[in-house]
Amino acid sequence: MAGKKKLIIANWKMNPGKEKDALTLFVAVKEEAALRQNIQTVICPPFPFISVLKKNVSGRKCSIGAQNMHWEVNGAYTGEISSAMLLDYGIKYVLVGHSERRAFGETDEMVNKKLLAALRRGMSPVLLVGETERDSAGAFFNVVRDQITRAFEGAPRHLLKNIVLVYEPVWAISSHAALPCSPENILEMHIFIKKVLNDLLGSVAAGRLPILYGGSVNPENAGGIIAESGVTGFVVGNASLDTRKFARILEIADKMKPLAL
Ligand code: PGA
């Protein structure tokens, strides 16, 4: 786990197109990450780049994560990647339940299987939850609660501490909108998620889980989100492909003190 450090996860999605560009981006980010005392940086590249980037990891501040994995260890699952393959590259963090995968038909049940598989294999699943849209009656809170409850079903208690939870409202992701969720709204959801986790796991286990935010994080809004919503890190998509912007997010997050909840 990232301990008291803030966790900043770069989700490169299906970018960049070429290995040499991935390597250039990774090396630049790695150098920036090495300067930051209070940050653990995780880069989640497309699978074909994992091998070459892994060879270029140096130090502990910047590691490689995965964007997805199947719950089975091996077998007839065309196009899938398993925990065994990721562990062969020493990968610890794996995104689970990203909305772009849910949009391809990934159900809560599949998310649950992935989360359990990652935990049982000693990995840290990064569980992403978030509503597609907000309604004035507040039904979106139920959406988030249900996603969390279903994902955690059957999770072994002693492994709960390895889970990272990310609130990522789908409507705030940069490919959908130009605006992130406001710090006030993130704070409100952060408090709600803590309550859901308390009810589900008890306060001790719930208190250990890092809660991050994702959705149009950029150098302009990163500081305010940490200071006003209490999240202890980010999942960054679009801005993680721009070295200058991502470096600035690391720099800002390194200095900011999250609101204590
Ligand atoms: P964004 O993506 O930072 O481009 O909004 C975040 C994500 O989808 O994980």
Side-chain angles (χ1 to χ4, degrees):
M1 291 307 311
K4 289 248 176 290
K5 288 188 173 186
K6 295 177 204 96
L7 185 57
I8 311 286
I9 302 175
N11 178 12
W12 285 2
K13 307 191 181 186
M14 202 168 68
N15 301 291
K18 289 197 161 65
E19 184 186 275
K20 87 173 170 20
D21 296 331
L23 188 54
T24 306
L25 180 58
F26 178 71
V27 169
V29 167
K30 177 183 79 168
E31 282 165 9
E32 292 292 336
L35 304 172
R36 307 293 152 219
Q37 296 309 315
N38 307 308
I39 305 280
Q40 175 69 39
T41 305
V42 179
I43 307 295
C44 300
F47 290 126
F49 303 147
I50 284 181
S51 170
V52 71
L53 299 194
K54 191 68 200 170
K55 289 190 189 107
N56 282 274
V57 168
S58 44
R60 293 165 150 251
K61 288 188 180 159
C62 186
S63 60
I64 307 291
Q67 295 179 19
N68 183 33
M69 70 169 216
H70 197 272
W71 54 87
E72 294 292 347
V73 175
N74 50 37
Y77 301 99
T78 302
E80 295 291 341
I81 303 277
S82 77
S83 55
M85 296 164 192
L86 297 176
L87 286 167
D88 201 31
Y89 285 100
I91 286 181
K92 177 179 163 190
Y93 291 99
V94 56
L95 304 186
V96 171
H98 192 285
S99 57
E100 286 156 16
R101 301 226 43 98
R102 292 183 194 256
F104 281 130
E106 195 165 297
T107 61
D108 285 335
E109 192 191 343
M110 291 157 85
V111 171
N112 174 246
K113 284 183 177 174
K114 291 179 182 202
L115 182 114
L116 297 187
L119 285 178
R120 290 188 181 127
R121 299 282 293 174
M123 300 173 78
S124 282
V126 178
L127 173 67
L128 296 116
V129 297
E131 75 281 5
T132 312
E133 55 187 14
R134 287 207 160 203
D135 59 302
S136 52
F140 61 91
F141 284 111
N142 299 337
V143 170
V144 171
R145 189 193 52 225
D146 290 351
Q147 285 177 342
I148 295 173
T149 308
R150 290 184 187 137
F152 275 72
E153 226 160 87
R157 286 200 75 76
H158 68 290
L159 297 175
L160 292 172
K161 61 180 189 312
N162 296 332
I163 300 173
V164 176
L165 208 140
V166 187
Y167 172 53
E168 186 167 90
V170 182
W171 53 268
I173 293 177
S174 66
S175 51
H176 297 269
L179 281 180
C181 197
S182 71
E184 302 76 46
N185 286 341
I186 301 171
L187 171 62
E188 189 183 34
M189 185 57 86
H190 188 176
I191 292 168
F192 177 76
I193 289 174
K194 275 194 171 293
K195 159 110 181 61
V196 170
L197 292 174
N198 268 324
D199 293 348
L200 214 56
L201 316 172
S203 61
V204 177
R208 290 201 188 106
L209 257 66
I211 299 176
L212 278 45
Y213 170 76
S216 295
V217 174
N218 61 41
E220 285 72 48
N221 59 37
I225 294 174
I226 288 187
E228 294 166 44
S229 79
V231 295
T232 52
F234 297 125
V235 171
V236 186
N238 201 25
S240 72
L241 298 167
D242 179 319
T243 311
R244 206 179 42 81
K245 284 189 189 165
F246 192 63
R248 187 78 189 113
I249 292 171
L250 295 180
E251 188 186 351
I252 293 166
D254 191 37
K255 292 193 196 115
M256 298 301 298
K257 220 172 144 43
L259 180 77
L261 289 190

